[in-house]
Amino acid sequence: ADNLEALRGTIEHHVPKTRGAEMTELLSRLARDLCVEGTPKCAQCPLGKECPTGIERLAKKPGSGEKKSIKKSR
């Protein structure tokens, strides 16, 4: 609950009240289009580097230092 209040305070500090409804609509669209359950599109999301899920998923992205196992065919 404290984190939620902190987030709310941060958002209110950066988004004027007159644009609150627009901000809510834009966040809803972003969530609908990119925060897809099971396979979110974090690499395409402008908030991917700020979102806990995006941070975790982008860190696991191939080429980010994590080695993938390669199966050799016989």
Side-chain angles (χ1 to χ4, degrees):
D2 289 338
N3 288 341
L4 194 56
E5 284 303 314
L7 176 61
R8 180 180 179 172
T10 299
I11 291 172
E12 287 178 347
H13 177 74
H14 292 287
V15 178
K17 287 186 182 209
T18 58
R19 302 205 56 199
E22 179 184 5
M23 179 70 174
T24 301
E25 175 63 24
L26 291 171
L27 283 173
S28 294
R29 286 185 193 180
L30 183 79
R32 180 193 68 221
D33 296 342
L34 301 176
C35 297
V36 181
E37 188 175 341
T39 55
K41 301 173 184 174
C42 300
Q44 297 172 359
C45 181
L47 301 176
K49 293 180 181 175
E50 308 298 326
C51 166
T53 300
I55 292 167
E56 182 180 331
R57 290 182 59 84
L58 292 172
K60 292 179 181 177
K61 185 177 171 182
S64 66
E66 184 178 294
K67 294 186 179 186
K68 291 175 66 177
S69 62
I70 300 172
K71 290 184 179 180
K72 292 183 181 180
S73 56
R74 293 181 184 201

